[in-house]
Amino acid sequence: MKKLMATGVVPGVRETGRQVFPLAALQQLQARPAADLTVLGTAEVAVLRSDAPQRVEEPDREWIGFGTDMDAAQLLAALSGWWRCDPARVAAGGVLPVTVAGFVVAVLTGLTEWEADGTVGTAGRYRFPKARLAGYLTDLTAPANAADPADTEDARLAGLLLGTRLASVSGGPIAYATTNPTTDTADEGGVTR
C-alpha cells in the first residue's frame, strides 16, 4: 500500500495526517485481472519491480523509480536502466512490464540494445538506451494509457498489460516471469511465479 501511495497512481489517497486509502479504490484494485503473458509468444518476460521515485545525481537522469508526477521523458529515463540483470534475457522477452506493488504501471519496449556500466564480472549493471515507453498509467483504478505510442505493436502490448496484476519475486529490481502459467521458474534472484 505504501508503494502505491508514494507513486501517486491511486487517486484520493491522503498522506498527510492520518493516511487514508479510499475503499472504492481498494475494491477496484482487488478486481484488476492478472496479466495474460501467454499472448507474448516468448518463454519468459523480465519484470521491472519499481519503487517510488527517488532523486539521483546522474548525467542522464534526475530520477529513478515510477511516479505519476513525472512526464514521459523523465519516466523513460528513470525506468530504462542501470540494473543488475542478464540483458540478453531481458531483451529476449521483447517487452518489460514495470510493476509497483504487483500492478503493471508502465511498459517498456525497444530493448534490443544495451550498454554495460563497465563493471567487470557478472555483477555489472545494464541500461537499454533505445527503450521506448509504450505506455504508463496515472490512475491505476481507471487504467488508460497516458502515452501515445506511434508504434502499433507498442500500443497493443501496453493495452494488454497496463493495469493488470503481475506477481514476481526477486532479490533485485529485475525478476523473470514465465509466460506459461502452470510452470514456476527459479532465477538467480529468487522465485518467479
Side-chain angles (χ1 to χ4, degrees):
M1 292 295 223
K2 288 182 181 183
K3 282 186 181 185
L4 290 173
M5 293 170 75
T7 61
V9 78
V10 178
V13 170
R14 189 176 71 216
E15 293 189 64
T16 57
R18 201 174 100 214
Q19 291 182 332
V20 176
F21 199 97
L23 177 60
L26 181 61
Q27 291 169 332
Q28 288 168 325
L29 295 181
Q30 287 176 324
R32 300 300 318 142
D36 180 8
L37 301 180
T38 62
V39 300
L40 298 179
T42 59
E44 71 178 0
V45 64
V47 178
L48 174 58
R49 299 163 356 105
S50 187
D51 207 340
Q54 297 175 10
R55 192 169 279 285
V56 293
E57 293 185 25
E58 296 179 8
D60 57 347
R61 61 184 177 178
E62 298 176 48
W63 300 94
I64 58 172
F66 178 87
T68 59
D69 289 339
M70 289 189 271
D71 63 30
Q74 289 173 315
L75 271 175
L76 179 58
L79 299 173
S80 61
W82 299 131
W83 320 298
R84 285 192 172 100
C85 66
D86 177 342
R89 195 172 171 191
V90 172
V95 63
L96 183 65
V98 178
T99 63
V100 170
F103 293 96
V104 179
V105 295
V107 176
L108 296 177
T109 59
L111 307 165
T112 56
E113 296 180 23
W114 55 86
E115 298 174 353
D117 69 352
T119 305
V120 178
T122 59
R125 295 176 185 266
Y126 298 88
R127 77 175 182 149
F128 296 81
K130 304 278 183 173
R132 297 184 304 271
L133 185 61
Y136 67 98
L137 299 178
T138 58
D139 181 349
L140 184 57
T141 63
N145 192 349
D148 187 18
D151 186 286
T152 56
E153 180 63 6
D154 285 1
R156 184 186 78 82
L157 290 169
L160 290 171
L161 295 168
L162 286 174
T164 62
R165 292 173 180 246
L166 181 53
S168 61
V169 178
S170 175
I174 297 288
Y176 301 93
T178 181
T179 58
N180 181 347
T182 60
T183 306
D184 286 352
T185 62
D187 70 5
E188 53 276 279
V191 176
T192 303
R193 290 184 201 23

